[in-house]
Amino acid sequence: DQQVKQNSPSLSVQEGRISILNCDYTNSMFDYFLWYKKYPAEGPTFLISISSIKDKNEDGRFTVFLNKSAKHLSLHIVPSQPGDSAVYFCAAFSGNTGKLIFGQGTTLQVKP
Amino acid sequence: EPEVTQTPSHQVTQMGQEVILRCVPISNHLYFYWYRQILGQKVEFLVSFYNNEISEKSEIFDDQFSVERPDGSNFTLKIRSTKLEDSAMYFCASTGYPSNQPQHFGDGTRLSIL
């Protein structure tokens, strides 16, 4: 299932700088997009979401941008902290099916 | 903060045996899900459950799989005759009403089929 893609398997940034994680999708019928964070041996933890009718949603250090024409979304973390080091999953939600479709994940490493 | 809990954290089973994975969703949630992640692959949807019946299932969720909510708190996934390729992390998730709220995940059960 290639409907949601995260093309960068890993990203490394310095503490205090901005982290930008990217995600592309193919189905214009998705209703919501979500970002989850996952630490080893834990389940995905919800971080932030955006409705398909919005183009930006901000929550503290986390901002998600949605570009519908490009079918692209990004998660910005600023400033990045070492505790942000984790795997980040982009997911798309369809109200018709109720299921989440996940990207492959991007491993973020924030160096002190 | 309320959590989704899953037991056991690790299950080792012989091929061909039945296995039951257990989940306690968040108490006021109405929609329940199972996902799995094979090592090195994406998290993939298996099944959703609402109002005591399956609302959606994937191609993976064949006749070997079943789900049940036997009481007001537990949500189980049963695999009748396990295969080697069933080895994966299995995640339970739940959400409240409406269903477009973020799904909350448990920490998963690692299923190893020998």
Side-chain angles (χ1 to χ4, degrees), chain B residues 14-19 64-65 78-83 86:
Chain B
Q14 290 289 330
M15 185 172 60
Q17 296 295 306
E18 174 182 286
V19 66
Q64 296 296 326
F65 291 86
K78 182 194 290 187
I79 309 174
R80 259 179 276 284
S81 178
T82 49
K83 302 188 277 286
D86 294 327

Side-chain angles (χ1 to χ4, degrees), chain B residues 36-101:
Chain B
R36 79 173 185 189
Q37 185 179 26
I38 295 171
L39 188 64
Q41 297 187 22
K42 289 185 178 187
V43 175
E44 51 190 350
F45 169 82
L46 291 178
V47 65
S48 58
F49 192 86
Y50 170 72
N51 201 24
N52 282 321
E53 59 183 32
I54 290 174
S55 42
E56 184 80 18
K57 59 183 181 179
S58 72
E59 292 176 355
I60 304 164
F61 195 89
D62 61 22
D63 292 343
Q64 296 296 326
F65 291 86
S66 62
V67 289
E68 197 177 32
R69 190 155 160 81
D71 52 42
S73 58
N74 290 285
F75 180 51
T76 61
L77 174 68
K78 182 194 290 187
I79 309 174
R80 259 179 276 284
S81 178
T82 49
K83 302 188 277 286
L84 292 175
E85 54 264 37
D86 294 327
S87 296
M89 281 292 293
Y90 286 81
F91 293 106
C92 173
S94 69
T95 193
Y97 185 84
S99 64
N100 60 7
Q101 294 184 53

Side-chain angles (χ1 to χ4, degrees), chain B residues 9-45:
Chain B
S9 55
H10 191 190
Q11 174 80 45
V12 182
T13 301
Q14 290 289 330
M15 185 172 60
Q17 296 295 306
E18 174 182 286
V19 66
I20 297 176
L21 309 183
R22 302 181 192 280
C23 170
V24 179
I26 293 172
S27 63
N28 61 347
H29 281 184
L30 300 173
Y31 298 86
F32 313 110
Y33 309 85
W34 284 100
Y35 292 81
R36 79 173 185 189
Q37 185 179 26
I38 295 171
L39 188 64
Q41 297 187 22
K42 289 185 178 187
V43 175
E44 51 190 350
F45 169 82

